[in-house]
Amino acid sequence: MRNVYIFLLISVTGVAALAQPTVSVTSPNRALVITVQSTPSGEVLYQVRYKGKSVIEPSKLGFVLSKPQVSLTRFNITTIDSSRTDTTWQPVWGEVGQIRDHHHELALTLQDRSSPAITLRVRFRVFDDGLGFRYEFPQQPALTHFVVAGELTQFRLAADHRTFWMPGDYDSNEYLYNTTKLSEVDAVAAADREKDTALKSVIGPNAVQTPLLFTTTDGLYVSLYEAALRNYPVMHLQLDKPTLTLTAQLTPDAVGNKAYLQTPAQTPWRTLIISDKATDLPASKLILNLNEPSVIDNPSWIKPQKFVGMWWEMHIGKATWEKAGGKHGANTQNVKQYIDFAAKYGFDGVLVEGWNVGWEDWFGNWKEDVFDFVTPYPDYNLDSLTAYAQQKGVRLIMHHETSGSVTNYERRMDAAFSFMNKNGINTVKTGYVGRIIPRGEHHDGQWMVNHYERVARKAAEYKIMIDSHESAHPTGLHRTYPNWLASEAARGSEFNNAPTLGITPEHTTILPFTRLLGGPMDFTPGLFRFALNQFDSTRTQRVRTTLAKQLALYITLYSPLQMAADLPENYEKHLDALQFIRDVPVDWDDTKVIAAEPGDYILMARKEKGLPNWYVGAITDENGRDLALPLDFLDPGRTYDAVLYRDAPNADWQTNPAAYVIEKKAVTNKTKLTLRLAKGGGCAIQFVRR
Amino acid sequence: MRNVYIFLLISVTGVAALAQPTVSVTSPNRALVITVQSTPSGEVLYQVRYKGKSVIEPSKLGFVLSKPQVSLTRFNITTIDSSRTDTTWQPVWGEVGQIRDHHHELALTLQDRSSPAITLRVRFRVFDDGLGFRYEFPQQPALTHFVVAGELTQFRLAADHRTFWMPGDYDSNEYLYNTTKLSEVDAVAAADREKDTALKSVIGPNAVQTPLLFTTTDGLYVSLYEAALRNYPVMHLQLDKPTLTLTAQLTPDAVGNKAYLQTPAQTPWRTLIISDKATDLPASKLILNLNEPSVIDNPSWIKPQKFVGMWWEMHIGKATWEKAGGKHGANTQNVKQYIDFAAKYGFDGVLVEGWNVGWEDWFGNWKEDVFDFVTPYPDYNLDSLTAYAQQKGVRLIMHHETSGSVTNYERRMDAAFSFMNKNGINTVKTGYVGRIIPRGEHHDGQWMVNHYERVARKAAEYKIMIDSHESAHPTGLHRTYPNWLASEAARGSEFNNAPTLGITPEHTTILPFTRLLGGPMDFTPGLFRFALNQFDSTRTQRVRTTLAKQLALYITLYSPLQMAADLPENYEKHLDALQFIRDVPVDWDDTKVIAAEPGDYILMARKEKGLPNWYVGAITDENGRDLALPLDFLDPGRTYDAVLYRDAPNADWQTNPAAYVIEKKAVTNKTKLTLRLAKGGGCAIQFVRR
């Protein structure tokens, strides 16, 4: 043991004995205690307690490697290091203007007891609102290149918690959340209920995705996730019901391996955000703090933005992506109308899907050469539209649907990004609909994880911002690549059009406790027409919110890239409500989660970047409710003009979704509002300081 | 049956009955007869006879598809079409100045009897020296995208022929040939004997590669191969010994499928070159005739060439590819010496391997990011060398070793080719040493076959010529892409340095009947030092030829890209012999195979492109022999100055390889020479018309 110096914050038992040390580290506020112990046979177990309550019972750490062929499960602990960090940093954009990174760190060096005595390190970082730990493989004679066959990390839960879960799936995260006891997980049955997901690779009945959310009978809220997923596959979890133990299930590659690594190497952080206040979870910056700082030296070209676009009208049957069939949406005249609309109402961008040749035969055939990303359909005059948009002060947003053929995209990416530069387009929505090529790879595998990062890195070289759809779940990499503005990576608003389960009213009240912990989501809210039979009278599916809730989503689902997803003609009918979408910022100085319960409701307030104005969003599930809104976040002694976009008294997502009231009033920080939310309803408020 | 018009050359029996037609088509000279018959159950069988001798007994045709899931084995023949072609075309470069394509064609449309009644076509082209047939899947409502799970094409041999074979292997074709009866094939044992092949994916004990060569007891020479391998995997063959039947075994992809196709689609041609004269096989242009014409409109930038290079000295331990270790070959000073040597002796190019960073960790770890193809080692001043070479009238030849990481190469290819353009380098040697990435793909799979073609196509855009190593066996695509000058794709001269089996004396007498039928080989002959212990006294392996045979290989192993592989200092000791390599052309107006027996010897004469001069090469296996050389190919009535580079009377590959005699004499087309070849020897002759 080279280093037995232990910070005061760490209590060590048995270190002198060396064989079976027990080491503990607390969070700065001492609420959270992580204890690591070594058993006589060499197993290393960690456990997590929060304010005296057990969160993770003693759980195993380890690996199986296929090259060299060895299991790393029994160790000698050779060194124990600790440190503390308390720094503050500024994100390029985000929910808050600055972020405090305050944590205690414990790093144990473990030497595997079997030949060739591989050394690894497990590093814990403990914050007041949770912890992360990762494995590190230092450079060493015994290990250079190695192949991970399995990660054995376990999470043994203390009780059979209420759990918000999605089926474990190597290719899709576009599920609804299920809420059951942990022991009642049935992932295959849940996946079978989801008829509208194009591609599913369900792992098995007891496999679930992260982020996973638990609420405990003793009042805790616990999110299990990962941070800084780089050069490693997505971690899914296999549940052993008798022991309530979740074990890492890494996404395999085409030949069944999990990760190809070269020392020095490290895994993503395995994270637990823990609090006895539900509001702490959406406010947590733990995931961001566990990511590396930005690699972009001068990010002045990165701009949060709002956009409209040629997209929803294809979903609801007004137009088609493909040119064949006579309903091609992305023709010059149609797109001009979107540009006009964007310019008139102050949107930054116009997304155009279906602009490029290939949509006649793009999906479902595992076809490699589909799109070339540089050839517009003949009825889409890109040159004239670029000029027209520029003249109107609007930018087109590029669309790169890869159809899952990533080899094709990678070999054309430079040309595609150069083409964007040439045309003055600096934001691209990427898409990965369909089975991945290289065949046998998955959306969640190491190869694809590296691809997504490669896109972010190369896009940065071209000063291009990214909005990735059908990519793996985000894990805070927008700190490192702030040009990666948003991703989909969950069930987004487009599923309102799905015939089977759609978007339930509760879905958006769960996202802030799960998917959004990893990063901004391009959910595409702003639907103002709720019946979706506008162009196809046979459609019975509908949007399951009120209009006011659609507005509130711009606050409750943070993204620096927000779409106003509906058709211009639907907005023209509600220009007073559109005003909120026009006004709402996409970059903030501060965020306060005022009230929240996952699956039920959330109420948040955010301060506009660089201005004294605040915006509030409140949403509820299928139940109407009243939420108290104290305005103590406003500057004392100042008057604010408040504009409330609220559900009308008779509003109801099922019977009367478009009934809203716009109310203006003057308020101060002493004012106390009560927000009355309809069933499936919401409320959005603007506060402008006088 | 839409079309029952049958050419005179085709005899049809039972067409009127429709159910079981038997159709025959002959070669233009009527020596070859292909008969296709349909059985009552719908099997379609073809058989091949040559001058009354059975070559292929009735053999099955068909497929198994995995999408749609259907076996295509029982058909109704719906149409029979026929045609004849007799044209002549000029290759951009080659062994002859013009090529006659004279064949009869028979195309049968087959409708599968099972649902959904898929239609395919089988097309036979019959030449005087053999035949090709392929399957075509026309566009049809029943079939658009489809996935081939297996091709069922069979080749049922008429007898247990003497067979020249290599083990079937999805990743390597760098084996020695085995010569046994067909029934004695033991591919696993043969592969086990090959200790020097870095990567083997042996299919099984009864699987062999194509090209496969048979010599029959009734005097026939038969080559079984394929032509125009595009968008389809390499065909290996599974042998059923009791029935002497070979069945197509296509190379699988990462998930076990064979080919992803979209109608209209076609397979490569399955070819049989057949003659009762051994000399007809190396002379055959059947494979080229079955490929598509050149896609390069103005090929004036494509230049056959000879080169020297920084390569062999790494193999024999004088230098290393990697910089670490202090023996880095590709440093500026060393390469200058190669440029000086090339300029002094008239070579066009200087290949430089190990010029770019990455060789310290390039092999064996299935690592994706190895080389970037644009970053020289710091001791390699590319700018100064480019200028120096240009001033000396020489060009550098680029080296792109991918280490099998093809995804990495594809994403960097544009930058790499632009870098070559910028540096005035117009030829690249590519390499694919190691397991392929995308992981699970093979060198011989459809994905890689498409990659090799993609490289040729993209290189053509940059006016770059290709020399591909470790690529799949060539099948005549140099007609379509004449910038794809040569490939390795067989055991080449570098194996002289391999510790185990090396290059046997017979190996080069088999290549003209097998590998070379598909296209030029970068064999890299010209070794003048036979013991390979020059820089490492422990090495016992040696070159198993005489020096004269090394010269003769420039004639007998055709390539438009020929290396003089040995070190300058070894050439300086034999400048009189080097003169032949300096003089020998790499592009020809005509070629005559004068005498040959596979595995024993070959004697060829070639006429220099655009000049009246001829060159002759003769090589033998481990046995010495005399070969008669009538000079009737020379212009009558003219005198030629002949320079014979022949084995000295006491030459012997084992005991005295460097003993040669250079003899000059005047000859006419009446002169008859007898070439005395030593054991493992050869003879090279230049005839310059006065």
Side-chain angles (χ1 to χ4, degrees):
Chain A
M1 190 169 294
R2 289 182 291 116
N3 179 353
V4 291
Y5 174 76
I6 304 296
F7 251 106
L8 289 181
L9 56 111
I10 299 174
S11 67
V12 181
T13 315
V15 168
L18 225 166
Q20 298 164 54
T22 296
V23 191
S24 293
V25 56
T26 71
S27 58
N29 68 357
R30 295 181 174 267
L32 205 56
V33 183
I34 317 305
T35 303
V36 182
Q37 56 181 297
S38 175
T39 70
S41 67
E43 289 180 330
V44 173
L45 309 173
Y46 76 101
Q47 67 187 101
V48 180
R49 298 179 72 78
Y50 176 82
K51 295 186 180 174
K53 297 170 179 172
S54 175
V55 178
I56 301 291
E57 294 284 290
S59 295
K60 294 182 190 176
L61 302 170
F63 285 91
V64 178
L65 308 187
S66 60
K67 179 193 169 185
Q69 281 209 344
V70 60
S71 288
L72 307 176
T73 53
R74 296 173 192 281
F75 308 97
N76 294 318
I77 299 178
T78 56
T79 69
I80 299 172
D81 294 280
S82 62
S83 64
R84 66 172 83 200
T85 294
D86 190 358
T87 61
T88 298
W89 57 278
Q90 288 75 41
V92 173
W93 44 257
E95 299 176 85
V96 293
Q98 54 181 22
I99 293 172
R100 183 179 181 192
D101 178 355
H102 187 198
H103 68 260
H104 290 167
E105 181 170 300
L106 172 68
L108 296 104
T109 303
L110 312 180
Q111 186 167 46
D112 185 53
R113 292 187 183 181
S114 60
S115 174
I118 288 166
T119 291
L120 65 160
R121 199 176 290 126
V122 58
R123 185 182 303 276
F124 293 85
R125 287 190 181 159
V126 189
F127 303 79
D128 287 346
D129 62 352
L131 69 137
F133 64 91
R134 72 177 180 192
Y135 302 91
E136 300 170 358
F137 293 86
Q139 267 190 298
Q140 55 194 296
L143 197 67
T144 306
H145 292 276
F146 63 107
V147 180
V148 175
E151 181 182 322
L152 304 177
T153 306
Q154 294 191 338
F155 306 88
R156 194 170 141 223
L157 279 303
D160 192 8
H161 304 312
R162 184 167 176 250
T163 306
F164 295 75
W165 58 271
M166 291 195 294
D169 187 314
Y170 297 138
D171 280 299
S172 179
N173 40 39
E174 300 193 10
Y175 289 96
L176 289 175
Y177 292 90
N178 300 273
T179 312
T180 68
K181 282 189 180 175
L182 183 57
S183 62
E184 292 165 352
V185 161
D186 186 346
V188 169
D192 284 346
R193 286 193 295 273
E194 303 273 18
K195 307 294 186 203
D196 304 315
T197 303
L199 171 63
K200 289 186 279 198
S201 299
V202 179
I203 301 167
N206 294 330
V208 294
Q209 306 208 13
T210 68
L212 194 63
L213 175 68
F214 308 104
T215 60
T216 77
T217 53
D218 51 2
L220 298 190
Y221 298 84
V222 180
S223 161
L224 170 49
Y225 198 23
E226 58 182 329
L229 172 63
R230 302 173 74 175
N231 193 31
Y232 205 79
V234 163
M235 177 180 73
H236 294 274
L237 296 167
Q238 275 287 0
L239 169 62
D240 180 60
K241 289 183 178 177
T243 61
L244 299 174
T245 301
L246 295 153
T247 303
Q249 168 83 38
L250 302 179
T251 305
D253 81 341
V255 300
N257 285 323
K258 306 300 168 36
Y260 301 80
L261 299 175
Q262 180 174 2
T263 57
Q266 64 208 21
T267 69
W269 297 93
R270 281 66 188 88
T271 64
L272 290 154
I273 305 176
I274 305 165
S275 182
D276 48 13
K277 294 206 297 289
T279 52
D280 281 350
L281 268 63
S284 174
K285 295 293 167 280
L286 184 144
I287 301 268
L288 274 177
N289 276 327
L290 290 172
N291 275 271
E292 295 299 311
S294 171
V295 296
I296 297 175
D297 285 339
N298 180 356
S300 60
W301 53 272
I302 299 172
K303 306 281 190 201
Q305 52 186 296
K306 285 181 286 186
F307 67 104
V308 294
M310 172 65 64
W311 171 75
W312 186 238
E313 64 179 73
M314 279 84 104
H315 278 277
I316 60 175
K318 179 182 182 188
T320 58
W321 281 270
E322 69 274 16
K323 186 164 186 314
K327 285 172 66 183
H328 183 219
N331 65 62
T332 306
Q333 194 50 43
N334 284 357
V335 172
K336 258 191 178 156
Q337 288 174 13
Y338 274 93
I339 293 171
D340 290 341
F341 181 84
K344 185 170 179 186
Y345 296 109
F347 289 93
D348 306 287
V350 175
L351 168 70
V352 185
E353 297 204 2
W355 67 278
N356 56 331
V357 297
W359 290 91
E360 281 72 14
D361 176 25
W362 75 285
F363 177 69
N365 293 305
W366 232 0
K367 179 178 174 175
E368 185 157 11
D369 288 316
V370 180
F371 298 107
D372 74 0
F373 312 102
V374 297
T375 306
Y377 276 120
D379 61 345
Y380 184 71
N381 189 329
L382 181 59
D383 286 343
S384 80
L385 285 168
T386 300
Y388 188 73
Q390 192 179 12
Q391 169 200 330
K392 293 269 190 172
V394 171
R395 279 189 197 254
L396 295 176
I397 293 180
M398 177 51 76
H399 185 228
H400 288 169
E401 174 54 58
T402 67
S403 67
S405 178
V406 182
T407 48
N408 178 54
Y409 188 43
E410 289 208 339
R411 60 178 83 99
R412 296 175 186 277
M413 212 187 305
D414 272 295
F417 287 169
S418 293
F419 181 80
M420 287 177 60
N421 281 175
K422 186 171 77 74
N423 285 286
I425 304 176
N426 65 357
T427 305
V428 61
K429 175 178 173 180
T430 59
Y432 300 91
V433 174
R435 296 171 87 180
I436 296 297
I437 303 177
R439 296 188 182 95
E441 297 292 341
H442 293 290
H443 287 72
D444 283 357
Q446 182 192 26
W447 198 87
M448 283 302 293
V449 165
N450 282 334
H451 166 78
Y452 307 127
E453 182 170 350
R454 194 177 295 124
V455 171
R457 197 165 52 233
K458 185 171 283 294
E461 290 169 20
Y462 288 88
K463 293 190 164 43
I464 285 172
M465 291 168 274
I466 299 288
D467 169 22
S468 61
H469 280 234
E470 298 88 27
S471 47
H473 61 209
T475 58
L477 257 77
H478 54 295
R479 176 176 179 186
T480 310
Y481 298 99
N483 64 315
W484 191 354
L485 295 182
S487 50
E488 186 185 37
R491 176 164 293 207
S493 184
E494 66 185 358
F495 272 84
N496 280 302
N497 185 51
T500 314
L501 296 179
I503 305 271
T504 55
E506 71 165 13
H507 182 63
T508 47
T509 72
I510 302 172
L511 289 173
F513 299 88
T514 51
R515 158 68 181 78
L516 294 181
L517 297 176
M521 178 172 175
D522 186 27
F523 182 83
T524 67
L527 298 179
F528 277 16
R529 187 185 160 99
F530 301 87
L532 299 179
N533 59 356
Q534 195 172 359
F535 302 98
D536 175 357
S537 60
T538 68
R539 295 191 186 214
T540 56
Q541 58 265 41
R542 58 198 315 285
V543 180
R544 292 147 84 181
T545 71
T546 65
L547 192 148
K549 180 171 174 177
Q550 288 289 323
L551 299 181
L553 293 174
Y554 287 87
I555 304 295
T556 60
L557 299 175
Y558 173 67
S559 178
L561 182 77
Q562 288 280 27
M563 186 175 199
D566 214 332
L567 276 48
E569 56 258 48
N570 293 336
Y571 286 130
E572 298 277 5
K573 293 179 189 136
H574 301 281
L575 288 176
D576 55 354
L578 180 67
Q579 188 62 43
F580 182 80
I581 304 179
R582 296 176 62 189
D583 290 338
V584 68
V586 281
D587 195 8
W588 307 98
D589 271 338
D590 201 5
T591 288
K592 294 183 187 299
V593 185
I594 296 166
E597 186 62 32
D600 295 339
Y601 62 89
I602 187 165
L603 166 59
M604 307 174 89
R606 302 191 195 265
K607 180 179 170 295
E608 186 169 7
K609 182 76 141 241
L611 288 171
N613 307 324
W614 285 79
Y615 289 75
V616 160
I619 60 170
T620 181
D621 60 3
E622 66 283 2
N623 302 304
R625 70 182 79 235
D626 292 349
L627 294 177
L629 176 61
L631 299 182
D632 48 7
F633 51 84
L634 299 178
D635 291 342
R638 303 294 297 255
T639 301
Y640 288 75
D641 292 315
V643 186
L644 287 79
Y645 299 77
R646 56 177 174 81
D647 294 321
N650 60 347
D652 180 299
W653 72 267
Q654 284 179 291
T655 58
N656 197 18
Y660 58 92
V661 172
I662 299 175
E663 181 186 356
K664 300 185 181 186
K665 60 169 74 172
V667 298
T668 71
N669 78 327
K670 307 284 190 205
T671 310
K672 290 194 194 318
L673 298 177
T674 297
L675 309 183
R676 172 151 293 186
L677 310 183
K679 291 178 179 175
C683 180
I685 316 176
Q686 178 191 47
F687 298 94
V688 175
R689 200 178 78 181
R690 281 195 185 153
Chain B
M1 189 169 297
R2 287 182 293 117
N3 179 351
V4 293
Y5 174 74
I6 305 296
F7 252 105
L8 289 180
L9 55 111
I10 299 174
S11 67
V12 182
T13 314
V15 168
L18 225 170
Q20 299 164 51
T22 296
V23 191
S24 292
V25 56
T26 69
S27 58
N29 69 359
R30 296 180 173 267
L32 205 55
V33 182
I34 318 304
T35 302
V36 182
Q37 56 181 298
S38 176
T39 70
S41 67
E43 290 182 327
V44 172
L45 309 174
Y46 76 100
Q47 68 187 100
V48 180
R49 297 179 73 78
Y50 177 83
K51 295 186 180 173
K53 296 169 179 172
S54 175
V55 178
I56 301 292
E57 293 284 292
S59 295
K60 294 181 188 177
L61 302 170
F63 285 91
V64 178
L65 307 186
S66 60
K67 179 193 168 184
Q69 281 207 344
V70 60
S71 286
L72 307 176
T73 54
R74 296 172 193 281
F75 307 97
N76 294 320
I77 299 178
T78 57
T79 69
I80 299 172
D81 294 281
S82 63
S83 65
R84 67 172 83 198
T85 295
D86 191 357
T87 60
T88 298
W89 57 279
Q90 287 74 42
V92 173
W93 45 258
E95 299 176 85
V96 294
Q98 55 180 22
I99 293 173
R100 183 178 180 191
D101 177 355
H102 187 198
H103 68 260
H104 291 166
E105 181 171 299
L106 172 68
L108 296 103
T109 304
L110 312 179
Q111 187 167 45
D112 185 53
R113 293 187 180 181
S114 59
S115 175
I118 288 166
T119 291
L120 63 161
R121 199 175 291 125
V122 58
R123 185 181 302 277
F124 292 86
R125 288 192 181 156
V126 189
F127 302 78
D128 287 346
D129 61 353
L131 69 137
F133 64 92
R134 72 177 180 192
Y135 302 91
E136 300 170 358
F137 293 86
Q139 267 191 296
Q140 53 194 299
L143 197 66
T144 305
H145 291 276
F146 63 108
V147 179
V148 176
E151 180 182 322
L152 304 178
T153 306
Q154 294 191 335
F155 305 88
R156 192 170 141 223
L157 279 301
D160 193 7
H161 304 311
R162 184 167 175 249
T163 306
F164 295 74
W165 58 272
M166 290 195 294
D169 187 314
Y170 297 138
D171 280 299
S172 178
N173 41 38
E174 301 192 9
Y175 287 96
L176 288 175
Y177 291 91
N178 298 272
T179 312
T180 68
K181 281 188 178 177
L182 184 56
S183 63
E184 292 165 353
V185 162
D186 186 344
V188 170
D192 284 347
R193 285 193 294 273
E194 303 272 17
K195 307 295 184 201
D196 303 316
T197 303
L199 172 63
K200 288 186 279 196
S201 299
V202 179
I203 301 168
N206 294 330
V208 295
Q209 307 208 13
T210 68
L212 194 62
L213 175 67
F214 307 105
T215 61
T216 77
T217 52
D218 50 5
L220 297 190
Y221 298 83
V222 179
S223 162
L224 169 49
Y225 198 23
E226 58 182 331
L229 172 64
R230 302 173 75 174
N231 193 29
Y232 204 80
V234 164
M235 178 179 71
H236 294 275
L237 296 167
Q238 275 286 359
L239 170 63
D240 180 60
K241 288 182 179 178
T243 62
L244 299 173
T245 301
L246 295 154
T247 303
Q249 167 83 40
L250 302 179
T251 304
D253 81 341
V255 300
N257 285 323
K258 306 302 167 39
Y260 301 80
L261 299 175
Q262 180 175 2
T263 57
Q266 64 207 21
T267 68
W269 297 92
R270 282 63 186 92
T271 64
L272 290 154
I273 305 176
I274 304 165
S275 181
D276 48 13
K277 294 204 297 289
T279 52
D280 280 351
L281 268 63
S284 175
K285 295 293 165 279
L286 182 143
I287 301 269
L288 274 177
N289 276 327
L290 290 171
N291 274 271
E292 295 299 311
S294 173
V295 295
I296 298 175
D297 285 339
N298 179 356
S300 60
W301 52 274
I302 299 171
K303 306 282 191 200
Q305 52 185 295
K306 287 180 285 187
F307 67 103
V308 294
M310 172 65 63
W311 172 75
W312 186 238
E313 64 180 75
M314 279 83 104
H315 278 276
I316 60 175
K318 180 183 181 186
T320 59
W321 281 270
E322 70 273 17
K323 184 162 187 314
K327 284 171 67 181
H328 183 220
N331 65 65
T332 306
Q333 194 50 43
N334 283 358
V335 172
K336 259 191 180 156
Q337 288 174 14
Y338 275 93
I339 293 171
D340 290 341
F341 181 83
K344 184 170 178 184
Y345 295 110
F347 289 92
D348 305 287
V350 175
L351 169 70
V352 185
E353 298 202 3
W355 68 277
N356 57 330
V357 297
W359 290 91
E360 282 72 14
D361 176 24
W362 75 285
F363 176 71
N365 293 306
W366 230 0
K367 179 178 175 176
E368 185 157 11
D369 289 315
V370 180
F371 298 107
D372 73 1
F373 312 102
V374 297
T375 306
Y377 275 119
D379 62 343
Y380 183 70
N381 189 329
L382 181 58
D383 287 343
S384 80
L385 285 169
T386 300
Y388 188 73
Q390 193 179 14
Q391 167 200 333
K392 292 271 190 170
V394 172
R395 278 190 199 253
L396 295 177
I397 293 179
M398 177 52 77
H399 185 226
H400 288 170
E401 175 54 57
T402 67
S403 67
S405 178
V406 182
T407 48
N408 177 54
Y409 188 43
E410 290 207 340
R411 60 177 84 99
R412 297 176 185 276
M413 211 186 308
D414 271 297
F417 287 169
S418 293
F419 182 80
M420 286 177 61
N421 281 174
K422 189 170 75 74
N423 285 286
I425 303 176
N426 64 357
T427 305
V428 60
K429 175 179 173 180
T430 59
Y432 299 91
V433 175
R435 296 171 87 180
I436 295 298
I437 303 177
R439 296 188 183 95
E441 297 291 342
H442 292 291
H443 286 72
D444 282 357
Q446 182 192 26
W447 197 88
M448 283 301 294
V449 164
N450 282 334
H451 166 77
Y452 306 127
E453 182 170 352
R454 195 177 294 124
V455 172
R457 197 164 52 235
K458 185 170 282 292
E461 290 169 19
Y462 288 87
K463 293 190 163 47
I464 285 172
M465 293 168 272
I466 299 287
D467 169 23
S468 62
H469 281 233
E470 298 88 27
S471 47
H473 61 209
T475 59
L477 257 77
H478 54 296
R479 177 176 178 186
T480 310
Y481 298 100
N483 65 317
W484 192 351
L485 295 181
S487 51
E488 186 186 38
R491 177 163 293 206
S493 184
E494 65 185 359
F495 272 84
N496 279 303
N497 185 52
T500 313
L501 296 179
I503 304 271
T504 54
E506 73 168 11
H507 182 61
T508 46
T509 71
I510 301 172
L511 289 173
F513 299 88
T514 53
R515 158 68 182 76
L516 294 182
L517 296 176
M521 177 172 177
D522 186 27
F523 182 83
T524 68
L527 298 180
F528 277 17
R529 190 186 156 99
F530 302 87
L532 300 178
N533 60 355
Q534 196 172 358
F535 301 99
D536 174 356
S537 60
T538 68
R539 296 190 186 215
T540 55
Q541 59 263 43
R542 59 199 312 287
V543 181
R544 290 146 86 182
T545 72
T546 65
L547 193 148
K549 181 171 174 179
Q550 287 289 323
L551 299 181
L553 293 174
Y554 287 87
I555 304 296
T556 60
L557 299 176
Y558 173 67
S559 177
L561 183 75
Q562 288 280 26
M563 186 176 200
D566 214 331
L567 277 48
E569 57 258 46
N570 293 337
Y571 287 130
E572 299 279 3
K573 292 179 191 136
H574 301 282
L575 288 175
D576 55 353
L578 180 68
Q579 188 62 42
F580 182 81
I581 304 179
R582 297 175 62 187
D583 290 338
V584 68
V586 281
D587 196 9
W588 308 99
D589 270 339
D590 201 6
T591 288
K592 293 182 185 302
V593 185
I594 296 167
E597 185 63 31
D600 295 340
Y601 62 89
I602 187 165
L603 166 59
M604 307 175 89
R606 301 194 195 265
K607 180 181 167 298
E608 186 168 8
K609 182 78 140 239
L611 286 173
N613 308 323
W614 285 77
Y615 290 75
V616 161
I619 60 169
T620 182
D621 60 3
E622 67 282 3
N623 301 305
R625 69 183 80 234
D626 292 348
L627 295 176
L629 175 62
L631 298 183
D632 47 9
F633 51 83
L634 299 178
D635 292 342
R638 303 293 298 250
T639 300
Y640 289 76
D641 291 314
V643 185
L644 289 78
Y645 299 78
R646 59 179 173 80
D647 293 322
N650 60 346
D652 181 298
W653 73 269
Q654 284 179 289
T655 57
N656 198 14
Y660 58 93
V661 172
I662 300 176
E663 181 187 359
K664 301 185 180 187
K665 60 169 73 171
V667 299
T668 71
N669 80 327
K670 308 285 192 210
T671 309
K672 291 194 195 316
L673 298 177
T674 298
L675 309 183
R676 172 150 291 184
L677 312 182
K679 291 176 178 175
C683 180
I685 315 176
Q686 178 192 46
F687 297 95
V688 177
R689 200 178 79 182
R690 281 191 187 159

